[in-house]
Amino acid sequence: MRTFFRRRIVPSFIAGLALVASAAPAAAPIASAQDVPSSIVIGINLPFTGADAADAVNIRDGAIMAIDEINTNGGIGGKIMIQPLLKDDGTVAAGQYDPAQAATNTKQFVADPNVVAIVGPQMSGSGKAMSPIASDAGLMIITPSSTNPDITDPNFASQYRPNGKAIYFRTVTTDAYQGPYMANYAASALGIKSVYILDDTGAYGEGIANSFEGQAKALGINVLGHDKLNPKESDYTTILTKIKAMNPDALYYGGVQQAAVKLAKQANDVMPNLPKMGGDGVYSVSFPQDAGRAAENWYATIAAPDTIDEPQAQDWVARYQSKFGASPQDYALTAYDAVLVLDDTVKRLLTDGMPINRDTVRDYAQQTNLPTLQGTISFDDNGDLKEKVISVFQVKDGLYKYVGVAPQS
Protein backbone atom coordinates (compact mmCIF):
# COMPACT_ATOMS: atom_id res chain seq x y z
CA MET A 1 0.00 0.00 0.00
CA ARG A 2 1.36 3.41 -0.94
CA THR A 3 1.14 6.54 1.15
CA PHE A 4 1.06 9.86 -0.67
CA PHE A 5 2.53 12.89 1.04
CA ARG A 6 1.31 16.27 0.00
CA ARG A 7 4.01 18.87 -0.16
CA ARG A 8 2.66 22.31 0.73
CA ILE A 9 3.68 24.98 -1.77
CA VAL A 10 4.71 27.97 0.30
CA PRO A 11 5.57 31.51 -0.86
CA SER A 12 9.27 31.01 -0.25
CA PHE A 13 9.24 27.99 -2.60
CA ILE A 14 7.52 30.01 -5.31
CA ALA A 15 9.98 32.82 -4.80
CA GLY A 16 12.77 30.32 -5.29
CA LEU A 17 11.22 29.13 -8.52
CA ALA A 18 10.92 32.72 -9.70
CA LEU A 19 14.61 33.22 -8.99
CA VAL A 20 15.53 30.12 -10.99
CA ALA A 21 13.22 31.14 -13.81
CA SER A 22 14.55 34.69 -14.02
CA ALA A 23 18.20 33.74 -13.91
CA ALA A 24 18.99 30.82 -16.17
CA PRO A 25 22.38 29.32 -15.45
CA ALA A 26 24.99 30.08 -18.03
CA ALA A 27 25.53 27.32 -20.53
CA ALA A 28 28.04 26.88 -23.28
CA PRO A 29 26.58 28.00 -26.62
CA ILE A 30 25.30 25.27 -28.89
CA ALA A 31 27.67 25.05 -31.80
CA SER A 32 28.82 22.72 -34.56
CA ALA A 33 29.36 18.97 -34.61
CA GLN A 34 33.04 19.53 -33.83
CA ASP A 35 32.31 21.74 -30.82
CA VAL A 36 30.44 19.67 -28.21
CA PRO A 37 28.84 21.94 -25.60
CA SER A 38 29.75 21.37 -21.97
CA SER A 39 26.11 21.85 -21.01
CA ILE A 40 22.61 22.28 -22.39
CA VAL A 41 19.48 23.76 -20.82
CA ILE A 42 16.20 21.87 -20.54
CA GLY A 43 13.18 23.98 -19.70
CA ILE A 44 10.59 22.66 -17.22
CA ASN A 45 7.16 24.29 -17.39
CA LEU A 46 4.58 23.34 -14.71
CA PRO A 47 1.85 25.05 -12.60
CA PHE A 48 3.54 25.53 -9.23
CA THR A 49 0.92 28.13 -8.26
CA GLY A 50 -2.70 27.18 -7.65
CA ALA A 51 -4.84 24.09 -7.28
CA ASP A 52 -2.52 21.65 -9.07
CA ALA A 53 0.74 22.67 -7.40
CA ALA A 54 1.23 19.39 -5.51
CA ASP A 55 0.98 17.43 -8.76
CA ALA A 56 3.39 19.85 -10.42
CA VAL A 57 5.94 19.13 -7.69
CA ASN A 58 5.48 15.38 -8.19
CA ILE A 59 6.19 15.79 -11.90
CA ARG A 60 9.03 18.26 -11.37
CA ASP A 61 10.77 15.94 -8.93
CA GLY A 62 10.64 13.05 -11.40
CA ALA A 63 12.35 15.20 -14.03
CA ILE A 64 14.90 16.64 -11.60
CA MET A 65 15.75 13.16 -10.32
CA ALA A 66 16.63 12.06 -13.85
CA ILE A 67 18.68 15.19 -14.49
CA ASP A 68 20.60 14.81 -11.22
CA GLU A 69 21.35 11.14 -11.91
CA ILE A 70 22.60 11.91 -15.42
CA ASN A 71 24.78 14.75 -14.16
CA THR A 72 26.16 12.65 -11.30
CA ASN A 73 27.31 10.12 -13.88
CA GLY A 74 29.22 12.75 -15.83
CA GLY A 75 26.44 14.17 -17.96
CA ILE A 76 25.00 13.00 -21.26
CA GLY A 77 27.50 10.62 -22.83
CA GLY A 78 29.93 11.61 -20.09
CA LYS A 79 30.34 15.00 -21.77
CA ILE A 80 27.30 17.27 -21.50
CA MET A 81 25.76 18.44 -18.24
CA ILE A 82 22.05 19.30 -18.09
CA GLN A 83 20.93 22.56 -16.53
CA PRO A 84 17.20 22.72 -15.72
CA LEU A 85 15.34 26.00 -16.09
CA LEU A 86 12.04 25.98 -14.19
CA LYS A 87 9.09 28.22 -15.01
CA ASP A 88 5.69 28.43 -13.30
CA ASP A 89 2.65 28.61 -15.60
CA GLY A 90 0.17 28.83 -12.72
CA THR A 91 -1.09 32.23 -11.63
CA VAL A 92 -2.91 33.56 -8.60
CA ALA A 93 -5.52 35.16 -10.85
CA ALA A 94 -6.35 31.86 -12.55
CA GLY A 95 -6.05 29.82 -9.38
CA GLN A 96 -4.47 27.08 -11.49
CA TYR A 97 -2.55 26.76 -14.76
CA ASP A 98 -2.82 29.81 -17.00
CA PRO A 99 -2.38 29.36 -20.78
CA ALA A 100 -1.35 33.00 -21.18
CA GLN A 101 1.47 32.52 -18.69
CA ALA A 102 2.46 29.29 -20.43
CA ALA A 103 2.74 31.22 -23.69
CA THR A 104 4.91 33.86 -22.01
CA ASN A 105 7.15 31.18 -20.52
CA THR A 106 7.55 29.53 -23.91
CA LYS A 107 8.65 32.80 -25.49
CA GLN A 108 11.28 33.10 -22.77
CA PHE A 109 12.50 29.55 -23.40
CA VAL A 110 12.67 30.28 -27.12
CA ALA A 111 14.70 33.44 -26.47
CA ASP A 112 17.41 31.46 -24.66
CA PRO A 113 19.53 29.79 -27.39
CA ASN A 114 20.83 27.18 -24.94
CA VAL A 115 17.36 25.71 -24.33
CA VAL A 116 17.14 22.65 -26.60
CA ALA A 117 13.86 21.17 -25.29
CA ILE A 118 11.05 21.69 -22.78
CA VAL A 119 9.71 19.09 -20.33
CA GLY A 120 6.04 19.81 -19.65
CA PRO A 121 3.50 21.19 -19.64
CA GLN A 122 1.31 19.43 -17.11
CA MET A 123 -1.96 20.72 -18.58
CA SER A 124 -3.31 20.58 -22.12
CA GLY A 125 -4.61 24.14 -22.02
CA SER A 126 -1.00 25.24 -21.56
CA GLY A 127 0.08 22.84 -24.28
CA LYS A 128 -2.29 24.43 -26.79
CA ALA A 129 -0.84 27.85 -25.97
CA MET A 130 2.78 26.69 -26.10
CA SER A 131 2.78 24.55 -29.23
CA PRO A 132 2.55 27.15 -32.02
CA ILE A 133 5.23 29.28 -30.36
CA ALA A 134 7.56 26.31 -29.97
CA SER A 135 6.82 25.19 -33.53
CA ASP A 136 7.88 28.55 -34.93
CA ALA A 137 11.21 28.15 -33.11
CA GLY A 138 11.64 24.42 -33.84
CA LEU A 139 11.77 23.81 -30.09
CA MET A 140 10.77 20.34 -28.94
CA ILE A 141 8.26 19.89 -26.09
CA ILE A 142 7.93 16.54 -24.30
CA THR A 143 5.02 16.27 -21.89
CA PRO A 144 4.67 13.67 -19.14
CA SER A 145 0.97 14.37 -18.49
CA SER A 146 -0.78 16.53 -21.12
CA THR A 147 -3.32 14.33 -22.89
CA ASN A 148 -5.60 16.44 -25.13
CA PRO A 149 -5.35 14.76 -28.56
CA ASP A 150 -5.93 17.90 -30.65
CA ILE A 151 -2.39 19.19 -30.06
CA THR A 152 -0.85 16.31 -31.99
CA ASP A 153 -3.75 15.58 -34.34
CA PRO A 154 -2.61 16.19 -37.95
CA ASN A 155 -6.04 17.71 -38.64
CA PHE A 156 -5.00 20.61 -36.38
CA ALA A 157 -1.41 20.84 -37.61
CA SER A 158 -1.82 24.34 -39.03
CA GLN A 159 -2.91 25.53 -35.60
CA TYR A 160 -0.51 23.73 -33.29
CA ARG A 161 2.54 23.01 -35.47
CA PRO A 162 2.50 25.66 -38.20
CA ASN A 163 6.07 24.85 -39.24
CA GLY A 164 5.01 21.33 -40.17
CA LYS A 165 7.21 19.00 -38.13
CA ALA A 166 5.91 17.43 -34.93
CA ILE A 167 7.35 19.25 -31.92
CA TYR A 168 4.95 18.07 -29.19
CA PHE A 169 5.94 14.63 -27.88
CA ARG A 170 4.39 12.63 -25.04
CA THR A 171 5.43 9.92 -22.60
CA VAL A 172 1.73 9.27 -21.98
CA THR A 173 -1.05 8.47 -24.41
CA THR A 174 -3.98 10.79 -25.14
CA ASP A 175 -7.61 11.33 -24.19
CA ALA A 176 -8.60 9.80 -27.52
CA TYR A 177 -7.99 6.60 -25.51
CA GLN A 178 -8.26 7.68 -21.87
CA GLY A 179 -11.90 8.82 -22.11
CA PRO A 180 -13.22 5.94 -24.24
CA TYR A 181 -11.35 3.22 -22.35
CA MET A 182 -12.83 4.49 -19.08
CA ALA A 183 -16.27 4.26 -20.68
CA ASN A 184 -15.42 0.65 -21.53
CA TYR A 185 -14.47 0.05 -17.90
CA ALA A 186 -17.65 1.72 -16.65
CA ALA A 187 -19.78 -0.54 -18.82
CA SER A 188 -17.93 -3.84 -18.38
CA ALA A 189 -16.52 -3.67 -14.84
CA LEU A 190 -19.00 -1.38 -13.10
CA GLY A 191 -22.14 -2.26 -14.99
CA ILE A 192 -23.06 1.38 -15.59
CA LYS A 193 -26.23 1.83 -17.65
CA SER A 194 -26.72 5.60 -17.31
CA VAL A 195 -24.37 8.49 -16.57
CA TYR A 196 -24.33 12.26 -16.19
CA ILE A 197 -21.23 14.09 -17.43
CA LEU A 198 -19.62 17.30 -16.15
CA ASP A 199 -16.49 19.15 -17.28
CA ASP A 200 -14.55 22.20 -16.08
CA THR A 201 -14.48 24.01 -19.49
CA GLY A 202 -10.69 23.59 -19.86
CA ALA A 203 -9.04 22.08 -22.93
CA TYR A 204 -8.28 18.90 -21.03
CA GLY A 205 -11.61 18.67 -19.21
CA GLU A 206 -13.79 19.26 -22.24
CA GLY A 207 -11.73 16.91 -24.40
CA ILE A 208 -11.74 13.93 -22.07
CA ALA A 209 -15.41 14.39 -21.15
CA ASN A 210 -16.40 14.50 -24.82
CA SER A 211 -14.36 11.41 -25.67
CA PHE A 212 -15.87 9.53 -22.71
CA GLU A 213 -19.33 10.59 -23.80
CA GLY A 214 -18.87 9.45 -27.39
CA GLN A 215 -17.80 5.96 -26.37
CA ALA A 216 -20.45 5.73 -23.64
CA LYS A 217 -23.15 6.36 -26.22
CA ALA A 218 -21.58 3.86 -28.61
CA LEU A 219 -21.75 1.25 -25.84
CA GLY A 220 -25.41 1.96 -25.19
CA ILE A 221 -24.89 3.82 -21.90
CA ASN A 222 -27.66 6.40 -21.50
CA VAL A 223 -26.00 9.82 -21.25
CA LEU A 224 -28.60 11.80 -19.30
CA GLY A 225 -26.86 15.14 -19.80
CA HIS A 226 -23.57 17.01 -20.02
CA ASP A 227 -23.01 20.30 -18.21
CA LYS A 228 -20.08 22.60 -17.57
CA LEU A 229 -18.73 23.83 -14.24
CA ASN A 230 -17.05 27.18 -13.70
CA PRO A 231 -13.89 26.25 -11.75
CA LYS A 232 -14.00 29.55 -9.85
CA GLU A 233 -17.56 29.10 -8.60
CA SER A 234 -17.99 27.75 -5.09
CA ASP A 235 -21.44 26.13 -5.22
CA TYR A 236 -22.47 23.33 -7.59
CA THR A 237 -25.43 22.09 -5.55
CA THR A 238 -28.07 23.35 -7.99
CA ILE A 239 -26.81 21.21 -10.84
CA LEU A 240 -26.09 18.28 -8.53
CA THR A 241 -29.66 18.40 -7.23
CA LYS A 242 -30.88 18.32 -10.83
CA ILE A 243 -28.66 15.31 -11.55
CA LYS A 244 -29.87 13.47 -8.45
CA ALA A 245 -33.48 13.80 -9.65
CA MET A 246 -32.50 12.02 -12.90
CA ASN A 247 -31.22 9.00 -10.91
CA PRO A 248 -28.08 8.16 -12.95
CA ASP A 249 -25.96 5.10 -12.27
CA ALA A 250 -22.80 7.21 -12.18
CA LEU A 251 -21.26 10.66 -12.54
CA TYR A 252 -18.29 11.35 -14.83
CA TYR A 253 -16.17 14.50 -14.41
CA GLY A 254 -13.64 15.79 -16.92
CA GLY A 255 -11.32 18.36 -15.39
CA VAL A 256 -8.65 19.20 -12.86
CA GLN A 257 -8.35 20.06 -9.19
CA GLN A 258 -9.84 23.53 -8.88
CA ALA A 259 -13.39 22.29 -9.51
CA ALA A 260 -12.80 18.64 -8.61
CA VAL A 261 -12.43 19.04 -4.85
CA LYS A 262 -15.54 21.22 -4.53
CA LEU A 263 -17.48 18.87 -6.78
CA ALA A 264 -16.44 15.81 -4.76
CA LYS A 265 -17.49 17.34 -1.44
CA GLN A 266 -20.82 18.63 -2.71
CA ALA A 267 -21.63 15.50 -4.72
CA ASN A 268 -20.97 13.46 -1.60
CA ASP A 269 -23.54 15.56 0.27
CA VAL A 270 -26.16 15.25 -2.46
CA MET A 271 -25.49 11.74 -3.81
CA PRO A 272 -23.17 9.96 -1.34
CA ASN A 273 -23.58 6.48 -2.78
CA LEU A 274 -23.36 7.34 -6.47
CA PRO A 275 -20.23 6.00 -8.25
CA LYS A 276 -18.09 8.90 -9.46
CA MET A 277 -15.41 8.78 -12.13
CA GLY A 278 -12.79 11.05 -13.65
CA GLY A 279 -9.56 11.15 -15.62
CA ASP A 280 -5.99 11.89 -14.60
CA GLY A 281 -7.04 15.39 -13.54
CA VAL A 282 -8.57 13.65 -10.51
CA TYR A 283 -5.72 11.19 -10.03
CA SER A 284 -3.88 13.74 -7.96
CA VAL A 285 -1.39 13.84 -5.13
CA SER A 286 -3.76 16.04 -3.14
CA PHE A 287 -7.29 15.04 -4.20
CA PRO A 288 -7.89 12.35 -1.53
CA GLN A 289 -6.53 14.63 1.19
CA ASP A 290 -8.33 17.80 0.09
CA ALA A 291 -11.66 16.10 -0.55
CA GLY A 292 -11.41 13.89 2.54
CA ARG A 293 -14.10 11.26 2.93
CA ALA A 294 -15.85 12.66 -0.13
CA ALA A 295 -13.05 11.24 -2.29
CA GLU A 296 -13.79 7.67 -1.19
CA ASN A 297 -14.69 5.34 -4.06
CA TRP A 298 -13.92 7.86 -6.79
CA TYR A 299 -12.45 6.17 -9.86
CA ALA A 300 -9.69 7.84 -11.86
CA THR A 301 -7.58 6.91 -14.86
CA ILE A 302 -4.08 7.76 -15.99
CA ALA A 303 -2.84 7.67 -19.57
CA ALA A 304 0.02 5.29 -18.83
CA PRO A 305 0.79 1.94 -17.18
CA ASP A 306 0.76 1.84 -13.37
CA THR A 307 4.49 1.24 -13.31
CA ILE A 308 5.38 2.40 -9.80
CA ASP A 309 3.54 -0.52 -8.19
CA GLU A 310 5.48 -3.07 -10.24
CA PRO A 311 8.42 -4.97 -8.67
CA GLN A 312 10.87 -3.73 -11.29
CA ALA A 313 10.21 -0.11 -10.25
CA GLN A 314 10.76 -0.50 -6.51
CA ASP A 315 14.41 0.55 -6.61
CA TRP A 316 13.37 3.68 -8.54
CA VAL A 317 10.58 4.39 -6.02
CA ALA A 318 13.03 3.99 -3.13
CA ARG A 319 15.48 6.42 -4.74
CA TYR A 320 12.69 8.96 -5.24
CA GLN A 321 11.51 8.61 -1.64
CA SER A 322 15.05 8.98 -0.33
CA LYS A 323 15.69 12.08 -2.43
CA PHE A 324 12.42 13.94 -1.89
CA GLY A 325 10.93 12.52 1.30
CA ALA A 326 7.68 11.68 -0.48
CA SER A 327 6.19 8.83 -2.46
CA PRO A 328 5.75 9.36 -6.21
CA GLN A 329 2.71 9.03 -8.38
CA ASP A 330 3.01 7.57 -11.87
CA TYR A 331 3.47 10.90 -13.65
CA ALA A 332 6.70 11.44 -11.72
CA LEU A 333 7.98 8.40 -13.60
CA THR A 334 6.70 9.61 -16.98
CA ALA A 335 8.54 12.89 -16.28
CA TYR A 336 11.68 10.95 -15.41
CA ASP A 337 11.31 9.06 -18.67
CA ALA A 338 10.82 12.31 -20.60
CA VAL A 339 14.30 13.36 -19.49
CA LEU A 340 15.65 9.91 -20.39
CA VAL A 341 14.29 10.42 -23.91
CA LEU A 342 16.30 13.65 -24.19
CA ASP A 343 19.39 11.95 -22.74
CA ASP A 344 19.07 9.14 -25.29
CA THR A 345 18.48 11.62 -28.11
CA VAL A 346 21.60 13.66 -27.38
CA LYS A 347 23.68 10.49 -26.90
CA ARG A 348 22.73 9.37 -30.39
CA LEU A 349 23.63 12.81 -31.77
CA LEU A 350 27.04 12.53 -30.13
CA THR A 351 27.57 9.04 -31.52
CA ASP A 352 26.70 10.21 -35.04
CA GLY A 353 28.89 13.31 -34.79
CA MET A 354 25.90 15.57 -35.33
CA PRO A 355 25.55 19.13 -34.06
CA ILE A 356 23.38 19.49 -30.96
CA ASN A 357 20.72 22.08 -31.61
CA ARG A 358 16.95 22.35 -31.58
CA ASP A 359 16.49 20.94 -35.06
CA THR A 360 18.67 17.87 -34.54
CA VAL A 361 17.25 17.18 -31.09
CA ARG A 362 13.73 17.23 -32.51
CA ASP A 363 14.65 15.04 -35.48
CA TYR A 364 16.51 12.43 -33.42
CA ALA A 365 13.82 12.39 -30.73
CA GLN A 366 11.33 11.40 -33.42
CA GLN A 367 13.38 8.22 -33.94
CA THR A 368 13.35 7.21 -30.25
CA ASN A 369 13.10 3.51 -29.40
CA LEU A 370 13.99 3.51 -25.72
CA PRO A 371 13.33 0.75 -23.14
CA THR A 372 12.21 2.29 -19.82
CA LEU A 373 10.44 1.11 -16.69
CA GLN A 374 7.09 2.01 -18.22
CA GLY A 375 7.88 0.09 -21.41
CA THR A 376 9.50 0.94 -24.72
CA ILE A 377 9.04 4.60 -25.62
CA SER A 378 8.68 5.29 -29.31
CA PHE A 379 6.66 7.92 -31.13
CA ASP A 380 4.47 8.00 -34.19
CA ASP A 381 4.85 10.70 -36.85
CA ASN A 382 2.81 13.13 -34.74
CA GLY A 383 4.84 12.74 -31.54
CA ASP A 384 2.29 10.53 -29.82
CA LEU A 385 3.37 7.54 -27.77
CA LYS A 386 2.79 4.32 -29.70
CA GLU A 387 1.84 2.36 -26.58
CA LYS A 388 -1.80 2.95 -25.53
CA VAL A 389 -2.35 1.84 -21.92
CA ILE A 390 -4.99 3.32 -19.60
CA SER A 391 -4.79 2.41 -15.91
CA VAL A 392 -7.70 2.65 -13.48
CA PHE A 393 -7.53 3.53 -9.77
CA GLN A 394 -10.03 3.85 -6.94
CA VAL A 395 -9.75 5.84 -3.72
CA LYS A 396 -9.92 3.52 -0.72
CA ASP A 397 -9.18 4.65 2.83
CA GLY A 398 -7.78 7.93 1.55
CA LEU A 399 -5.38 6.36 -0.95
CA TYR A 400 -5.48 5.67 -4.67
CA LYS A 401 -5.34 1.93 -5.26
CA TYR A 402 -4.73 0.40 -8.67
CA VAL A 403 -7.66 -1.71 -9.86
CA GLY A 404 -6.59 -2.67 -13.38
CA VAL A 405 -6.08 -1.76 -17.01
CA ALA A 406 -9.09 -0.27 -18.75
CA PRO A 407 -10.30 -2.48 -21.62
CA GLN A 408 -9.62 -1.22 -25.13
CA SER A 409 -13.02 -2.37 -26.38
Side-chain angles (χ1 to χ4, degrees), residues 352-364:
D352 290 353
M354 295 291 289
I356 298 166
N357 56 46
R358 292 172 180 175
D359 289 337
T360 58
V361 167
R362 192 231 70 88
D363 289 348
Y364 268 55

Side-chain angles (χ1 to χ4, degrees), residues 180-212:
Y181 289 7
M182 186 57 188
N184 295 340
Y185 185 87
S188 63
L190 304 180
I192 301 302
K193 304 296 184 184
S194 64
V195 66
Y196 204 99
I197 299 171
L198 298 169
D199 73 62
D200 69 352
T201 75
Y204 160 74
E206 285 186 340
I208 194 169
N210 289 340
S211 65
F212 174 91

Side-chain angles (χ1 to χ4, degrees), residues 6 35 59 67 91 95 97 99 106 117 126 146 156 183 235 252 290 304 335 350 359-360:
R6 184 185 178 194
D35 184 10
I59 292 170
I67 290 171
T91 63
Y97 73 96
T106 307
S126 291
S146 161
F156 297 98
D235 189 355
Y252 184 85
D290 289 350
L350 287 170
D359 289 337
T360 58

Side-chain angles (χ1 to χ4, degrees), residues 102-222:
T104 296
N105 293 350
T106 307
K107 292 174 184 176
Q108 292 171 354
F109 286 133
V110 166
D112 183 342
N114 296 302
V115 175
V116 299
I118 301 170
V119 173
Q122 181 176 333
M123 302 300 184
S124 295
S126 291
K128 287 189 171 185
M130 295 168 69
S131 288
I133 300 167
S135 177
D136 283 342
L139 179 59
M140 173 187 170
I141 297 171
I142 183 163
T143 175
S145 61
S146 161
T147 52
N148 184 280
D150 293 354
I151 304 171
T152 48
D153 188 332
N155 292 323
F156 297 98
S158 62
Q159 184 174 353
Y160 297 119
R161 55 176 197 238
N163 272 359
K165 287 185 177 181
I167 54 90
Y168 202 85
F169 296 82
R170 309 183 204 246
T171 53
V172 291
T173 190
T174 76
D175 295 334
Y177 304 93
Q178 187 175 192
Y181 289 7
M182 186 57 188
N184 295 340
Y185 185 87
S188 63
L190 304 180
I192 301 302
K193 304 296 184 184
S194 64
V195 66
Y196 204 99
I197 299 171
L198 298 169
D199 73 62
D200 69 352
T201 75
Y204 160 74
E206 285 186 340
I208 194 169
N210 289 340
S211 65
F212 174 91
E213 179 175 358
Q215 180 66 1
K217 289 178 176 177
L219 293 169
I221 296 175
N222 185 13

